[in-house]
Amino acid sequence: LSSSQVLSELLTLPGVGPKVAECVSLFSLSQYHVLPIDTHVYQILASLAPSRINGRSSLSLKAHEEIRAYWKERFGEYG
C-alpha cells in the first residue's frame, strides 16, 4: 500500500492518531519515507519555514499532511 493508504487505514483504529499512525508506519511497516511529526519536528519547521505554520498551535490531520509534504519537498523522499 502507499503511505497515505497505510496511514488512512491505521487512523481507522480506535485511539490511533496521526503521530501513532506515522510511528507504526515507519517502525513496524517499513514505510521509511514517513516522518512521525511531533512537537520537535513542528518546532524545526517553524524555524525553517514559519510561513508554513500560519499561526497554527495544534497539529491537526491536515497540518500533518502539509508538514509531511513540505518535509518531502525540502529534504527528499527519506528526509
Coordinates of all heavy atoms in Angstrom, one line a residue:
L1 N 0.8 -1.2 0.0 CA 0.0 0.0 0.0 C 0.9 1.2 0.0 O 2.0 1.2 0.5 CB -0.9 0.0 1.2 CG -1.9 -1.1 1.4 CD1 -2.6 -1.0 2.8 CD2 -2.9 -1.1 0.3
S2 N 0.3 2.3 -0.5 CA 1.1 3.6 -0.4 C 1.0 4.1 1.0 O 0.2 3.6 1.8 CB 0.4 4.6 -1.3 OG -0.8 5.0 -0.8
S3 N 1.9 5.0 1.3 CA 2.0 5.5 2.7 C 0.6 6.2 3.1 O 0.2 6.1 4.2 CB 3.1 6.5 2.9 OG 3.0 7.6 2.0
S4 N 0.0 6.9 2.2 CA -1.3 7.5 2.5 C -2.4 6.5 2.8 O -3.2 6.7 3.7 CB -1.7 8.5 1.4 OG -1.9 7.8 0.2
Q5 N -2.3 5.4 2.1 CA -3.3 4.3 2.3 C -3.0 3.6 3.7 O -4.0 3.4 4.4 CB -3.2 3.2 1.2 CG -3.8 3.7 -0.1 CD -3.5 2.7 -1.2 OE1 -2.4 2.2 -1.3 NE2 -4.5 2.5 -2.0
V6 N -1.8 3.4 4.0 CA -1.4 2.8 5.3 C -1.8 3.7 6.4 O -2.5 3.3 7.4 CB 0.1 2.6 5.3 CG1 0.6 2.2 6.7 CG2 0.5 1.5 4.4
L7 N -1.5 5.0 6.3 CA -1.9 6.0 7.3 C -3.4 6.0 7.5 O -3.9 6.0 8.6 CB -1.3 7.3 7.0 CG 0.2 7.4 7.2 CD1 0.7 8.8 6.6 CD2 0.7 7.2 8.6
S8 N -4.1 6.1 6.4 CA -5.6 6.1 6.4 C -6.2 4.9 7.1 O -7.1 5.0 7.9 CB -6.2 6.2 5.0 OG -5.9 7.4 4.4
E9 N -5.7 3.7 6.8 CA -6.1 2.5 7.5 C -5.8 2.5 9.0 O -6.7 2.2 9.8 CB -5.5 1.3 6.8 CG -6.1 1.0 5.4 CD -7.6 0.6 5.5 OE1 -8.0 -0.1 6.4 OE2 -8.3 1.1 4.6
L10 N -4.6 2.9 9.3 CA -4.3 3.0 10.7 C -5.1 3.9 11.5 O -5.5 3.7 12.7 CB -2.8 3.3 10.9 CG -1.8 2.2 10.5 CD1 -0.4 2.7 10.4 CD2 -1.9 1.0 11.4
L11 N -5.5 5.1 10.9 CA -6.3 6.1 11.5 C -7.7 5.6 11.8 O -8.4 6.2 12.6 CB -6.3 7.4 10.7 CG -5.0 8.1 10.7 CD1 -5.0 9.2 9.7 CD2 -4.7 8.7 12.1
T12 N -8.1 4.5 11.2 CA -9.5 4.0 11.5 C -9.5 3.2 12.8 O -10.6 2.9 13.3 CB -10.0 3.1 10.3 OG1 -9.1 1.9 10.3 CG2 -10.0 3.8 9.0
L13 N -8.4 2.9 13.3 CA -8.3 2.1 14.6 C -8.6 3.0 15.8 O -8.1 4.2 15.8 CB -7.0 1.4 14.8 CG -6.6 0.4 13.7 CD1 -5.1 0.0 13.8 CD2 -7.5 -0.8 13.7
P14 N -9.4 2.5 16.7 CA -9.7 3.4 17.9 C -8.4 3.8 18.7 O -7.5 3.0 18.9 CB -10.5 2.4 18.8 CG -11.0 1.3 17.9 CD -10.0 1.2 16.8
G15 N -8.3 5.1 19.0 CA -7.2 5.6 19.8 C -6.0 5.9 19.0 O -5.0 6.3 19.6
V16 N -6.0 5.7 17.7 CA -4.8 5.9 16.9 C -4.9 7.3 16.2 O -5.9 7.5 15.4 CB -4.6 4.8 15.8 CG1 -3.4 5.1 14.9 CG2 -4.3 3.5 16.5
G17 N -4.0 8.2 16.5 CA -4.0 9.5 15.9 C -2.9 9.5 14.8 O -2.2 8.5 14.6
P18 N -2.7 10.7 14.2 CA -1.7 10.8 13.2 C -0.3 10.4 13.6 O 0.4 9.7 12.9 CB -1.8 12.3 12.8 CG -3.1 12.8 13.2 CD -3.4 11.9 14.4
K19 N 0.2 10.9 14.8 CA 1.6 10.6 15.1 C 1.8 9.1 15.4 O 2.8 8.5 14.9 CB 2.0 11.3 16.4 CG 3.5 11.1 16.7 CD 4.0 11.7 17.9 CE 5.4 11.3 18.2 NZ 5.7 11.3 19.6
V20 N 0.9 8.4 16.1 CA 1.0 7.0 16.3 C 0.9 6.2 14.9 O 1.7 5.3 14.7 CB -0.1 6.5 17.2 CG1 -0.2 5.0 17.3 CG2 0.1 7.1 18.6
A21 N 0.1 6.7 14.0 CA 0.0 6.0 12.7 C 1.3 6.2 12.0 O 1.8 5.2 11.3 CB -1.2 6.6 11.9
E22 N 1.9 7.4 12.1 CA 3.2 7.6 11.4 C 4.3 6.7 12.1 O 5.1 6.2 11.3 CB 3.5 9.1 11.5 CG 2.6 9.9 10.7 CD 2.6 11.4 11.1 OE1 3.1 11.8 12.2 OE2 2.0 12.2 10.3
C23 N 4.3 6.6 13.4 CA 5.3 5.8 14.1 C 5.2 4.3 13.7 O 6.2 3.7 13.4 CB 5.2 5.9 15.6 SG 5.8 7.5 16.2
V24 N 4.0 3.8 13.7 CA 3.7 2.4 13.3 C 4.2 2.2 11.8 O 4.8 1.2 11.5 CB 2.2 2.0 13.5 CG1 1.9 0.7 12.9 CG2 1.9 2.0 15.0
S25 N 3.8 3.2 11.0 CA 4.2 3.0 9.5 C 5.7 3.0 9.4 O 6.2 2.1 8.7 CB 3.7 4.2 8.7 OG 2.3 4.2 8.7
L26 N 6.4 3.9 10.1 CA 7.9 3.9 10.0 C 8.5 2.7 10.6 O 9.4 2.0 10.0 CB 8.4 5.2 10.6 CG 9.9 5.4 10.7 CD1 10.5 5.4 9.3 CD2 10.3 6.6 11.4
F27 N 8.2 2.4 11.8 CA 9.0 1.5 12.6 C 8.5 0.0 12.5 O 9.3 -0.9 12.7 CB 9.0 1.9 14.1 CG 9.6 3.2 14.3 CD1 8.9 4.2 14.9 CD2 11.0 3.4 14.0 CE1 9.5 5.5 15.1 CE2 11.6 4.6 14.2 CZ 10.9 5.7 14.8
S28 N 7.3 -0.2 12.1 CA 6.7 -1.6 12.0 C 6.4 -2.0 10.6 O 6.3 -3.2 10.3 CB 5.5 -1.7 12.9 OG 5.8 -1.5 14.2
L29 N 6.1 -1.1 9.7 CA 5.7 -1.4 8.4 C 6.6 -1.0 7.3 O 6.3 -1.0 6.1 CB 4.3 -0.8 8.1 CG 3.2 -1.2 9.1 CD1 1.9 -0.5 8.8 CD2 3.0 -2.7 9.0
S30 N 7.9 -0.7 7.7 CA 9.0 -0.4 6.7 C 8.6 0.7 5.7 O 9.0 0.7 4.6 CB 9.4 -1.6 6.0 OG 9.8 -2.6 6.9
Q31 N 7.8 1.7 6.2 CA 7.5 2.9 5.4 C 8.5 3.9 5.7 O 8.2 4.9 6.4 CB 6.1 3.4 5.7 CG 5.0 2.4 5.4 CD 4.5 2.4 4.0 OE1 4.5 3.5 3.3 NE2 4.2 1.3 3.4
Y32 N 9.7 3.8 5.2 CA 10.9 4.6 5.7 C 10.8 6.0 5.3 O 11.5 6.9 5.8 CB 12.2 4.0 5.1 CG 12.4 2.6 5.6 CD1 12.5 1.5 4.8 CD2 12.5 2.3 7.0 CE1 12.6 0.2 5.2 CE2 12.7 1.0 7.5 CZ 12.8 0.0 6.6 OH 12.9 -1.3 7.1
H33 N 9.9 6.4 4.4 CA 9.7 7.8 4.0 C 8.7 8.5 4.8 O 8.5 9.7 4.6 CB 9.3 7.8 2.5 CG 8.2 6.9 2.2 ND1 8.3 5.5 2.1 CD2 6.9 7.1 2.1 CE1 7.1 5.0 1.9 NE2 6.2 5.9 1.9
V34 N 8.1 7.9 5.8 CA 7.1 8.5 6.6 C 7.8 9.2 7.8 O 8.7 8.6 8.5 CB 6.0 7.5 7.1 CG1 5.1 8.2 8.2 CG2 5.2 7.0 6.0
L35 N 7.5 10.4 8.1 CA 8.1 11.2 9.2 C 7.1 11.3 10.3 O 6.0 11.9 10.1 CB 8.5 12.6 8.7 CG 8.9 13.5 9.7 CD1 10.3 13.1 10.3 CD2 9.0 14.9 9.1
P36 N 7.3 10.7 11.5 CA 6.5 11.0 12.6 C 6.6 12.5 13.0 O 7.7 12.9 13.4 CB 7.0 10.1 13.7 CG 7.7 9.0 13.0 CD 8.3 9.7 11.8
I37 N 5.5 13.2 13.0 CA 5.5 14.6 13.2 C 5.0 14.8 14.7 O 3.9 14.5 15.0 CB 4.6 15.3 12.2 CG1 5.2 15.1 10.8 CG2 4.6 16.8 12.6 CD1 4.2 15.5 9.7
D38 N 6.0 15.4 15.5 CA 5.7 15.7 16.9 C 6.0 17.2 17.1 O 6.3 17.9 16.2 CB 6.4 14.8 17.8 CG 7.9 14.9 17.7 OD1 8.4 15.7 16.9 OD2 8.6 14.1 18.3
T39 N 6.0 17.6 18.3 CA 6.3 19.0 18.6 C 7.7 19.4 18.2 O 7.9 20.5 17.8 CB 6.0 19.3 20.1 OG1 6.9 18.4 20.9 CG2 4.6 19.1 20.5
H40 N 8.6 18.5 18.3 CA 10.0 18.8 17.9 C 10.1 19.1 16.4 O 10.8 20.0 16.0 CB 11.0 17.7 18.3 CG 10.9 17.4 19.8 ND1 11.4 18.3 20.7 CD2 10.4 16.3 20.5 CE1 11.2 17.8 21.9 NE2 10.6 16.6 21.8
V41 N 9.5 18.2 15.6 CA 9.5 18.4 14.2 C 8.8 19.7 13.8 O 9.2 20.5 13.0 CB 8.9 17.2 13.4 CG1 8.7 17.5 12.0 CG2 9.7 16.0 13.6
Y42 N 7.7 19.9 14.5 CA 6.9 21.2 14.4 C 7.8 22.4 14.7 O 7.7 23.4 13.9 CB 5.7 21.1 15.3 CG 4.7 22.2 15.0 CD1 3.8 22.1 13.9 CD2 4.6 23.3 15.9 CE1 2.9 23.1 13.7 CE2 3.6 24.2 15.7 CZ 2.8 24.2 14.6 OH 1.8 25.1 14.4
Q43 N 8.6 22.4 15.7 CA 9.4 23.5 16.1 C 10.5 23.7 15.0 O 10.9 24.8 14.7 CB 10.0 23.3 17.5 CG 9.1 23.4 18.6 CD 9.6 22.9 19.9 OE1 10.7 22.4 20.0 NE2 8.9 23.1 21.0
I44 N 11.1 22.6 14.5 CA 12.1 22.7 13.4 C 11.4 23.4 12.2 O 12.0 24.3 11.6 CB 12.7 21.4 13.1 CG1 13.5 20.8 14.3 CG2 13.5 21.4 11.8 CD1 13.9 19.4 14.1
L45 N 10.2 22.9 11.9 CA 9.6 23.5 10.7 C 9.3 25.0 11.0 O 9.5 25.8 10.0 CB 8.2 22.8 10.5 CG 7.4 23.4 9.3 CD1 8.2 23.2 8.0 CD2 6.1 22.7 9.2
A46 N 8.9 25.4 12.2 CA 8.7 26.8 12.5 C 9.9 27.6 12.3 O 9.8 28.8 11.8 CB 8.1 26.9 13.9
S47 N 11.1 27.1 12.6 CA 12.3 27.8 12.4 C 12.7 27.9 10.9 O 13.3 28.8 10.4 CB 13.4 27.3 13.3 OG 13.8 26.0 12.8
L48 N 12.5 26.8 10.2 CA 12.9 26.7 8.7 C 11.9 27.4 7.8 O 12.3 28.0 6.8 CB 13.0 25.2 8.3 CG 14.1 24.4 8.9 CD1 13.9 23.0 8.4 CD2 15.4 25.0 8.4
A49 N 10.6 27.3 8.1 CA 9.6 27.9 7.2 C 8.4 28.4 8.0 O 7.4 27.7 8.0 CB 9.2 26.8 6.2
P50 N 8.6 29.5 8.7 CA 7.5 30.0 9.5 C 6.2 30.2 8.7 O 5.1 30.1 9.3 CB 8.0 31.3 10.1 CG 9.3 31.5 9.5 CD 9.7 30.3 8.7
S51 N 6.3 30.5 7.5 CA 5.1 30.8 6.7 C 4.2 29.5 6.5 O 3.0 29.6 6.3 CB 5.5 31.3 5.3 OG 6.2 30.3 4.6
R52 N 4.9 28.3 6.7 CA 4.1 27.1 6.6 C 3.3 26.8 7.8 O 2.4 26.0 7.8 CB 5.1 25.9 6.3 CG 5.8 25.9 5.0 CD 4.8 25.6 3.9 NE 5.5 25.5 2.6 CZ 5.5 24.5 1.8 NH1 4.9 23.4 2.1 NH2 6.2 24.5 0.7
I53 N 3.7 27.4 8.9 CA 3.0 27.2 10.2 C 1.6 28.0 10.2 O 0.6 27.5 10.7 CB 3.8 27.6 11.4 CG1 5.1 26.8 11.4 CG2 3.1 27.5 12.7 CD1 4.9 25.3 11.6
N54 N 1.7 29.2 9.7 CA 0.5 30.0 9.6 C -0.3 30.2 10.9 O -1.5 30.2 11.0 CB -0.5 29.5 8.5 CG 0.1 29.5 7.1 OD1 0.9 30.4 6.8 ND2 -0.3 28.6 6.3
G55 N 0.5 30.4 12.0 CA -0.1 30.7 13.3 C -0.8 29.5 13.9 O -1.5 29.6 14.9
R56 N -0.6 28.3 13.4 CA -1.2 27.1 14.0 C -0.6 26.8 15.4 O 0.6 26.9 15.5 CB -0.9 25.9 13.1 CG -1.8 25.7 11.9 CD -1.6 24.3 11.3 NE -2.1 24.3 10.0 CZ -1.4 24.4 8.9 NH1 -0.1 24.6 9.0 NH2 -1.9 24.4 7.7
S57 N -1.4 26.4 16.3 CA -0.9 26.0 17.6 C -1.1 24.5 17.8 O -0.7 24.0 18.8 CB -1.6 26.8 18.7 OG -3.0 26.6 18.6
S58 N -1.8 23.8 16.9 CA -2.1 22.4 17.1 C -1.7 21.7 15.8 O -1.6 22.3 14.7 CB -3.5 22.1 17.4 OG -4.4 22.5 16.4
L59 N -1.5 20.4 15.9 CA -1.2 19.5 14.8 C -2.4 18.7 14.4 O -2.5 17.6 14.8 CB 0.0 18.6 15.2 CG 1.3 19.3 15.3 CD1 2.3 18.4 16.0 CD2 1.8 19.8 14.0
S60 N -3.2 19.3 13.5 CA -4.4 18.6 13.0 C -3.9 17.6 11.9 O -2.8 17.6 11.5 CB -5.4 19.6 12.4 OG -4.8 20.2 11.3
L61 N -4.8 16.8 11.5 CA -4.5 15.8 10.4 C -4.1 16.6 9.2 O -3.1 16.2 8.5 CB -5.7 15.0 10.1 CG -5.6 13.8 9.1 CD1 -4.4 12.9 9.5 CD2 -6.8 13.0 9.0
K62 N -4.8 17.7 8.9 CA -4.4 18.5 7.7 C -3.0 19.1 7.9 O -2.2 19.1 6.9 CB -5.4 19.6 7.5 CG -5.1 20.5 6.3 CD -6.1 21.5 6.0 CE -5.7 22.3 4.8 NZ -6.4 23.5 4.6
A63 N -2.7 19.5 9.1 CA -1.3 20.1 9.4 C -0.3 19.0 9.2 O 0.8 19.2 8.6 CB -1.3 20.6 10.8
H64 N -0.6 17.7 9.6 CA 0.4 16.6 9.4 C 0.6 16.4 7.9 O 1.8 16.2 7.5 CB -0.2 15.3 10.0 CG 0.1 15.2 11.4 ND1 1.1 14.3 11.9 CD2 -0.4 15.8 12.5 CE1 1.1 14.3 13.2 NE2 0.3 15.2 13.6
E65 N -0.4 16.5 7.1 CA -0.3 16.3 5.7 C 0.6 17.4 5.0 O 1.5 17.1 4.2 CB -1.6 16.2 5.0 CG -2.4 15.0 5.4 CD -3.9 15.0 5.0 OE1 -4.3 16.0 4.4 OE2 -4.6 14.1 5.3
E66 N 0.3 18.6 5.5 CA 1.1 19.7 4.9 C 2.5 19.7 5.3 O 3.4 20.0 4.5 CB 0.4 21.1 5.3 CG -0.9 21.3 4.7 CD -1.6 22.5 5.3 OE1 -1.1 23.2 6.2 OE2 -2.8 22.8 4.9
I67 N 2.8 19.4 6.6 CA 4.2 19.3 7.1 C 4.9 18.2 6.4 O 6.1 18.3 5.9 CB 4.2 19.1 8.6 CG1 3.7 20.4 9.3 CG2 5.6 18.8 9.1 CD1 3.4 20.3 10.7
R68 N 4.2 17.0 6.2 CA 4.9 15.9 5.5 C 5.2 16.3 4.1 O 6.3 15.9 3.6 CB 3.9 14.7 5.5 CG 4.6 13.4 5.2 CD 3.6 12.2 5.3 NE 2.9 12.1 6.5 CZ 1.6 12.3 6.7 NH1 0.8 12.5 5.7 NH2 1.0 12.2 7.9
A69 N 4.3 17.0 3.4 CA 4.6 17.4 2.0 C 5.8 18.4 1.9 O 6.6 18.3 1.1 CB 3.3 18.0 1.4
Y70 N 5.8 19.3 2.9 CA 6.9 20.3 2.9 C 8.3 19.5 3.2 O 9.3 19.8 2.5 CB 6.7 21.3 4.0 CG 8.0 22.1 4.2 CD1 8.3 23.2 3.3 CD2 8.8 21.9 5.3 CE1 9.5 23.9 3.5 CE2 10.0 22.6 5.4 CZ 10.3 23.6 4.5 OH 11.5 24.3 4.7
W71 N 8.3 18.6 4.1 CA 9.5 17.9 4.5 C 10.0 17.1 3.3 O 11.2 17.1 3.0 CB 9.2 17.0 5.7 CG 10.3 16.8 6.6 CD1 11.3 15.8 6.6 CD2 10.7 17.7 7.7 NE1 12.2 16.0 7.6 CE2 11.9 17.1 8.3 CE3 10.2 18.9 8.2 CZ2 12.5 17.7 9.3 CZ3 10.8 19.4 9.2 CH2 12.0 18.9 9.8
K72 N 9.1 16.5 2.6 CA 9.5 15.7 1.4 C 10.0 16.6 0.3 O 11.0 16.3 -0.3 CB 8.3 14.9 0.9 CG 8.6 14.0 -0.3 CD 7.4 13.2 -0.8 CE 7.7 12.4 -2.0 NZ 6.6 11.6 -2.4
E73 N 9.4 17.7 0.1 CA 9.8 18.7 -0.9 C 11.2 19.2 -0.5 O 12.1 19.4 -1.4 CB 8.8 19.8 -0.9 CG 9.2 21.0 -1.7 CD 8.2 22.2 -1.5 OE1 7.0 21.9 -1.5 OE2 8.6 23.3 -1.2
R74 N 11.4 19.5 0.8 CA 12.7 20.1 1.2 C 13.9 19.2 1.3 O 15.0 19.5 1.0 CB 12.4 20.8 2.6 CG 13.6 21.3 3.3 CD 13.9 22.7 3.1 NE 15.1 23.1 3.8 CZ 15.4 24.3 4.2 NH1 14.5 25.2 4.1 NH2 16.6 24.5 4.8
F75 N 13.6 17.9 1.9 CA 14.6 17.0 2.2 C 14.6 15.7 1.4 O 15.5 14.9 1.6 CB 14.6 16.7 3.7 CG 14.8 17.9 4.6 CD1 13.7 18.4 5.3 CD2 16.0 18.5 4.7 CE1 13.9 19.5 6.1 CE2 16.2 19.6 5.5 CZ 15.1 20.1 6.2
G76 N 13.7 15.5 0.5 CA 13.6 14.4 -0.3 C 12.8 13.2 0.3 O 12.3 13.3 1.4
E77 N 12.7 12.1 -0.4 CA 11.9 11.0 -0.1 C 12.2 10.4 1.3 O 11.3 10.1 2.1 CB 12.1 9.9 -1.1 CG 11.1 8.7 -0.9 CD 9.7 9.0 -1.3 OE1 9.4 10.0 -2.0 OE2 8.8 8.3 -0.8
Y78 N 13.4 10.4 1.7 CA 13.8 9.8 3.0 C 14.3 10.8 4.0 O 15.1 10.6 4.8 CB 14.8 8.7 2.8 CG 14.3 7.6 2.0 CD1 14.6 7.4 0.6 CD2 13.3 6.7 2.5 CE1 14.1 6.4 -0.2 CE2 12.8 5.6 1.7 CZ 13.2 5.5 0.4 OH 12.7 4.5 -0.4
G79 N 13.8 12.1 3.9 CA 14.2 13.2 4.7 C 14.1 13.0 6.2 O 14.8 13.5 7.0

